Every structure is written in structure tokens, then in C-alpha cells.
Amino acid sequence: MYKMSSKPLISAKEIEERLDSLAAEIKPCGFDVVVPLLSGSFIFAADLCRRIASPELQVSFIRASSYGNSTQSSGQLQISGLEKLDIKGKKILLVDDILDTGITLSKVRETLKACGPSEIRTCVLLDKSARRTVEFNADFVGFSIENKFVVGYGLDYAENYRTYPEIWTLEEDYG
Ligand code: XMP
């Protein structure tokens, strides 16, 4: 069994402030399409998109699933939503909640490259670099965190905890 930490790892205010500074870095790049990976990045991507809004900026969702109901990766990755993606010749910002082993983003980036965009850059809210098993660096990182399982602000454990506005760590509950 798991329980949430007694206080947030990253508060809602800290997230808001970092979103402002991230958006200030990202907006001048002039991306054509933001591609958020569902489900974990849905809150982060929505908050980021509102800060980099422009009339022509498009958003196109894809889904990459690998975790199931566990805190450990199954190693299997399924990517869906590619059939609706229109990114040929476009400048893409691929957005995910967390960069962990790096397997998800490196596989998704390779898959998107095959669709012929002019450029793909990546943005993650959280980076757990201690867990990396493949070489991968995101172009934009919200926060670097230590090797703890985190939930909230879109991140889940067994579909729970997603709706919290803060990031919490999940700890084993021996009680
Ligand atoms: P990889 O290992 O492929 O993992 O970089 C990326 C995906 O794994 C999930 N993940 C987490 N989800 N808390 C979560 O709620 C975590 O601490 C965590 N670490 C990895 C997440 O879906 C991410 O997109």
C-alpha cells in the first residue's frame, strides 16, 4: 500500500512560477503544434499552452501507455492517436509529465520523426535523471527531482491522485 507524503514535494505556487518562466523560454521558439502525451501531461500541457497561446498554435494529443497500475514500467509501450496527427513540415513541441528511464520519450520522438516534422523539441515538467536507462535529454525541463515516485498535477498511481494541484511523493504505507 502507498500513501501521499505529508507535504507536497512541489507546491502549486512553485509550479505556477516555473510555468511562467518556462513559457517565456518556449513562446519565442514559435512552435506550430504542441503534442502532449496523455494522460499524465494533460494539466501541465493545458497550463503551458495557455501561457504560449497564439492564433496558429495547434494542439494534438497522442497517448503512450507503459505503466499500467504499477510504479514500475512494464517495458511495453503502446502509442495511439498517430493517425490524426498532421505534423509534416511543422515545428513540434512534444510535452510529457515526467522523464524517467527515457524510454517513452525516445520511442515517441523516433515515431514522430517518421511523420516528417521540420523540428521536434521536448518539454517535461519533471526530470528524474537518476533513473535514465537510455540517453535522453529534454530541451525544456520544469524541475529536476530525485528518484521518488510522484503523483498529482496530472500524474497518477493506478489512476488516482491526478487531480491535485501540487506534486506529492508516494511512500510505502507500513501502517
Ligand atoms: P520513462 O521511464 O519511459 O517513463 O521515461 C515515462 C512515463 O512513466 C511514467 N512515470 C511516472 N508516473 N509518477 C507517475 O505518476 C512517477 O514518478 C513516474 N515516473 C515515470 C509517466 O507516465 C511517464 O510519462
Side-chain angles (χ1 to χ4, degrees), residues 23 72 96 152 161 171:
Q72 292 298 311
D96 203 5
Y161 307 105
E171 296 162 351

Side-chain angles (χ1 to χ4, degrees), residues 31-44:
F31 289 103
D32 300 308
V33 189
V34 176
V35 179
L37 290 193
L38 293 174
S39 301
S41 76
F42 82 108
I43 296 180
F44 174 47

Side-chain angles (χ1 to χ4, degrees), residues 67 96-98 100-104 128 148-150 155-156:
Y67 264 69
D96 203 5
D97 51 359
I98 185 164
D100 189 20
T101 62
I103 293 169
T104 304
K128 266 202 265 188
K148 297 242 168 87
F149 196 84
V150 290
L155 292 112
D156 75 306

Side-chain angles (χ1 to χ4, degrees), residues 17-175:
E17 287 170 359
R18 185 66 186 113
L19 277 164
D20 288 341
S21 56
L22 261 184
E25 284 177 60
I26 291 171
K27 189 162 185 178
C29 299
F31 289 103
D32 300 308
V33 189
V34 176
V35 179
L37 290 193
L38 293 174
S39 301
S41 76
F42 82 108
I43 296 180
F44 174 47
D47 284 347
L48 185 64
C49 284
R50 278 180 279 200
R51 285 169 167 83
I52 59 170
S54 80
E56 299 83 17
L57 180 62
Q58 299 181 355
V59 184
S60 204
F61 298 93
I62 58 174
R63 183 180 292 274
S65 351
S66 70
Y67 264 69
N69 284 354
S70 158
T71 55
Q72 292 298 311
S73 173
S74 65
Q76 302 285 323
L77 190 73
Q78 280 191 322
I79 306 173
S80 54
L82 295 171
E83 62 289 348
K84 290 188 193 141
L85 215 55
D86 175 19
I87 58 171
K88 197 169 167 54
K90 294 182 179 168
K91 205 169 162 180
I92 302 308
L93 182 66
L94 176 59
V95 175
D96 203 5
D97 51 359
I98 185 164
L99 181 52
D100 189 20
T101 62
I103 293 169
T104 304
L105 273 180
S106 58
K107 283 193 178 163
V108 171
R109 187 172 63 182
E110 282 316 300
T111 305
L112 293 190
K113 267 188 192 165
C115 302
S118 64
E119 185 180 338
I120 302 182
R121 296 180 83 187
T122 52
C123 175
V124 294
L125 176 68
L126 305 172
D127 184 359
K128 266 202 265 188
S129 55
R131 292 249 313 159
R132 208 75 93 246
T133 58
V134 297
E135 202 179 318
F136 193 98
N137 292 311
D139 298 295
F140 305 97
V141 173
F143 301 92
S144 295
I145 60 166
E146 53 183 305
N147 183 12
K148 297 242 168 87
F149 196 84
V150 290
V151 294
Y153 197 69
L155 292 112
D156 75 306
Y157 173 65
E159 296 300 327
N160 295 332
Y161 307 105
R162 272 196 213 282
T163 50
Y164 281 100
E166 313 84 10
I167 303 285
W168 300 78
T169 54
L170 212 55
E171 296 162 351
E172 281 197 63
D173 184 2
Y174 300 104

